[in-house]
Amino acid sequence: MKWMIIILIMMSLIGSMMWVMPTPRQKYQAALRMKAKTQGFLVQLEKVTGPRAKGEMEPVSKDMTAYRILREGLSRDEKNSFKTWQVFRIESIADIGLPAGWSWLDGERTLSDAQLEQLCEIIAKLPAGVFSLESTPIHVGVYWDEEGGEEVLDDLKGLLQQIAKSGF
């Protein structure tokens, strides 16, 4: 009987330790986020609310990871006149100039035709796990589900830098 109690207590302790240990997915995310930080990304967990999809009453809200790179070299006047925009991988009414399946939340009709064309090219190169793409005077970023690993992270950095260098 004493052995049964000892075994039960040991199993309880081991079970508690296993419950506290990170899962393989959590380990993967931590390693990916650390790599992103070494590459110059700002990584934040945020609740993002997109536009209202066609046929829906409420907008879509998701808890996602934002990967952002800071803009550099903008003057005060450029920051003050900058046109902020954000697009989502959602089909809605506000989709002027965007590829099918993408919609504006902010900044519709503020980009020139050349900028829209460049944005569409960048959107076409985004991995399927990207939910949103945003540009502000402070940063350029994506909301991403973190699928695909470090090679996708490298691709995202290149695409975000392309937007930042283009100035829109």
Side-chain angles (χ1 to χ4, degrees), residues 1-49:
M1 184 66 170
K2 290 180 185 178
W3 286 105
M4 287 295 270
I5 294 173
I6 292 172
I7 290 172
L8 185 62
I9 290 172
M10 292 301 289
M11 287 177 64
S12 173
L13 291 174
I14 291 172
S16 297
M17 288 184 347
M18 294 301 286
W19 184 65
V20 173
M21 304 248 327
T23 65
R25 170 81 177 155
Q26 290 169 333
K27 290 177 186 177
Y28 160 78
Q29 287 175 328
L32 186 67
R33 292 170 186 168
M34 288 304 293
K35 173 133 172 77
K37 286 183 180 185
T38 62
Q39 290 185 357
F41 281 96
L42 297 174
V43 181
Q44 296 174 312
L45 301 174
E46 294 184 6
K47 184 174 197 117
V48 62
T49 302

Side-chain angles (χ1 to χ4, degrees), residues 96-98 104 109 111-121 168:
I96 294 174
L98 295 176
W104 295 99
R109 296 188 175 131
L111 300 179
S112 69
D113 289 339
Q115 290 171 329
L116 268 177
E117 185 177 319
Q118 189 175 7
L119 178 60
C120 288
E121 290 172 8
F168 71 93

Side-chain angles (χ1 to χ4, degrees), residues 71-72 74 78 81-85 111 115 118 135-137 140 160-168:
R71 286 191 184 273
E72 295 176 356
L74 287 181
E78 289 173 320
S81 64
F82 192 87
K83 296 178 175 116
T84 299
W85 55 267
L111 300 179
Q115 290 171 329
Q118 189 175 7
S135 179
T136 72
V140 180
L160 293 179
Q161 286 176 334
Q162 185 178 348
I163 293 172
K165 286 178 185 173
S166 298
F168 71 93

Side-chain angles (χ1 to χ4, degrees), residues 60-78:
V60 175
S61 287
K62 292 185 177 183
D63 291 325
M64 300 218 51
T65 309
Y67 284 78
R68 298 181 173 124
I69 57 171
L70 294 176
R71 286 191 184 273
E72 295 176 356
L74 287 181
S75 69
R76 181 181 300 249
D77 291 335
E78 289 173 320

